[in-house]
C-alpha cells in the first residue's frame, strides 16, 4: 500500500508538471511580456538602488561605479548636514505647502468632474468635454512653461497686454516672478493639466456601478443629488481610497498630479526662490551643480523613506476605517 501511494503521488506530480508546461507553452507570448517587464524593473528600478550607499559615504564621481562600494564610510554626516542647513526650514515649508495645496485641490477635482460628466446625457458634448480636459496631460511641462510665458509675461504676455488695453489694470501682473503668486499658479496649472486624465479612472469606477440601482432609486423618488450621494459615491469608494493612498504616498512629489519638481525647476527663478525652492530642486542643484552626489542622495533618501511611511500609514488607516485598501 505504501509503495502504491508513492507511485500514485509521483504520477500526480508528473501530471501536474506536464499540465504546467502545456499551459506555459500556450501562454508563452504573455510570459514573454511579463518577463520583459520584470527585466525592466530589475535593471531600472532595483539595480540602481545600490546607489543608496552613496548617502552614507563620501562618494566622488571620479571613482566611478566602483567608488560606491569603496568610498569612505561617513554614516549620517550628510543627513545631519541637510537638517542643519540654513535653508532647511524654507525648503521643507515650500515642499509641504505646495504638496498639501495640490492634494486639497487636485484630489477632489477629477472626482467632481467625473460625477458631472456621468450626469451629462448628451454623448457628443460629454466626449468633447472629456477630450479637451485630458489633452493637457500629453503636453510636457516644458511646453506649458513656454505657453505660460507667452500669456503671463510682463513684457510680451497676451493676458497682461489685453488687461492693460482694456484699462482693467494699471501695470502688468507679475505672476511668473512674484513669490506670492507661485504656490497658487503651480497648483492651478497642475490641476488644469492633470484633472482630465485622472477623471478617466473615476469615470471607469462609475461605469462599473449597476444601472439598476439608479433605476430603483429613481422609482423610489430619489433626486439626482440623492442618487449621487447614496449610489455614485459609495460605488466609487474603493477607487477613491486607492487613489488617495497613492496620493498621500507621493505627496512630497506633488501627490495626484506629481509635478513639484518640474514646476519648481521650470518656473522657479532667483526672484521667486523664497517660495519655489523645494527639496527636489535643492537636491538636484547640489548634486549636479556642486557635484555633491552623496549629499543629494541623502536628501532624496529622506524623502523616499517618508513616502514609504506615508503609504503604509495611509493604507493601514484606510483599511481600519473604510475596509478598502491598496494591499
Amino acid at each position: 500500500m505504501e509503495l502504491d501511494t508513492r507511485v500514485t503521488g509521483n504520477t500526480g506530480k508528473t501530471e501536474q508538471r506536464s499540465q504546467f508546461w502545456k499551459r506555459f507553452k500556450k501562454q508563452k507570448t504573455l510570459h514573454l511580456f511579463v518577463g520583459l517587464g520584470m527585466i525592466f524593473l530589475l535593471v531600472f528600478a532595483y539595480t540602481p538602488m545600490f546607489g543608496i550607499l552613496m548617502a552614507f559615504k563620501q562618494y566622488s564621481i571620479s571613482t566611478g561605479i566602483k567608488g560606491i562600494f569603496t568610498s569612505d564610510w561617513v554614516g549620517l554626516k550628510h543627513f545631519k548636514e541637510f537638517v542643519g542647513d540654513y535653508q532647511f526650514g524654507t525648503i521643507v515649508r515650500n515642499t509641504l505647502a505646495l504638496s498639501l495645496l495640490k492634494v486639497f485641490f487636485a484630489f477632489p477635482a477629477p472626482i467632481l468632474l467625473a460625477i458631472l460628466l456621468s450626469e451629462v446625457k448628451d454623448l457628443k458634448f460629454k466626449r468633447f468635454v472629456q477630450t479637451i480636459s485630458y489633452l493637457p496631460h500629453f503636453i510636457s511641462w516644458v511646453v506649458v512653461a513656454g505657453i505660460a510665458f507667452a500669456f503671463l509675461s510682463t513684457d510680451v504676455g497676451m493676458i497682461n497686454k489685453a488687461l492693460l488695453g482694456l484699462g482693467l489694470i494699471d501695470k502688468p501682473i507679475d505672476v511668473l516672478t512674484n513669490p506670492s503668486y507661485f504656490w497658487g499658479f503651480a497648483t492651478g496649472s497642475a490641476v488644469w493639466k492633470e484633472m482630465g486624465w485622472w477623471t478617466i479612472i473615476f469615470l471607469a469606477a462609475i461605469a462599473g456601478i449597476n444601472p439598476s440601482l439608479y433605476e430603483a432609486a429613481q422609482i423610489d423618488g430619489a433626486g439626482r443629488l440623492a442618487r449621487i450621494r447614496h449610489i455614485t459615491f459609495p460605488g466609487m469608494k474603493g477607487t477613491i481610497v486607492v487613489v488617495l493612498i497613492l496620493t498621500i504616498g507621493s505627496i512630497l512629489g506633488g501627490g495626484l498630479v506629481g509635478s513639484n519638481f518640474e514646476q519648481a525647476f521650470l518656473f522657479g527663478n532667483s526672484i521667486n526662490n523664497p517660495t519655489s525652492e523645494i527639496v527636489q530642486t535643492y537636491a538636484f542643484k547640489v548634486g549636479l551643480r556642486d557635484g555633491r552626489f552623496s549629499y543629494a542622495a541623502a536628501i532624496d533618501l529622506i524623502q523616499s523613506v517618508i513616502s514609504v511611511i506615508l503609504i503604509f500609514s495611509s493604507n493601514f488607516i484606510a483599511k481600519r476605517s473604510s475596509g478598502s485598501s491598496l494591499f
Side-chain angles (χ1 to χ4, degrees), residues 160-175:
N160 275 318
K161 282 187 175 182
L163 293 176
L164 286 169
L166 293 171
L168 298 176
I169 56 175
D170 298 325
K171 59 180 182 179
I173 302 174
D174 195 8
V175 176

Side-chain angles (χ1 to χ4, degrees), residues 170-185:
D170 298 325
K171 59 180 182 179
I173 302 174
D174 195 8
V175 176
L176 298 179
T177 56
N178 191 328
S180 302
Y181 290 119
F182 180 78
W183 291 350
F185 171 72

Side-chain angles (χ1 to χ4, degrees), residues 54 57-68 70-72 291-294:
M54 284 193 296
K57 296 196 170 191
Q58 195 64 44
Y59 173 75
S60 173
I61 194 171
S62 61
T63 60
I65 296 177
K66 183 177 68 174
I68 297 175
T70 59
S71 300
D72 294 334
R292 302 187 63 192
F293 296 98
S294 294

Side-chain angles (χ1 to χ4, degrees), residues 205-268:
I206 294 173
I209 300 174
N210 191 344
S212 62
L213 296 175
Y214 291 100
E215 295 171 2
Q218 195 167 4
I219 292 171
D220 289 340
R224 180 169 291 182
L225 291 178
R227 294 196 298 270
I228 291 173
R229 178 183 176 185
H230 297 290
I231 299 175
T232 305
F233 268 125
M236 298 171 65
K237 186 179 74 172
T239 303
I240 291 173
V241 168
V242 170
V243 174
L244 180 60
I245 292 170
L246 295 174
T247 299
I248 294 174
S250 59
I251 191 172
L252 297 181
L256 195 70
V257 292
S259 55
N260 278 4
F261 173 77
E262 291 86 348
Q263 288 181 307
F265 185 74
L266 293 169
F267 297 116

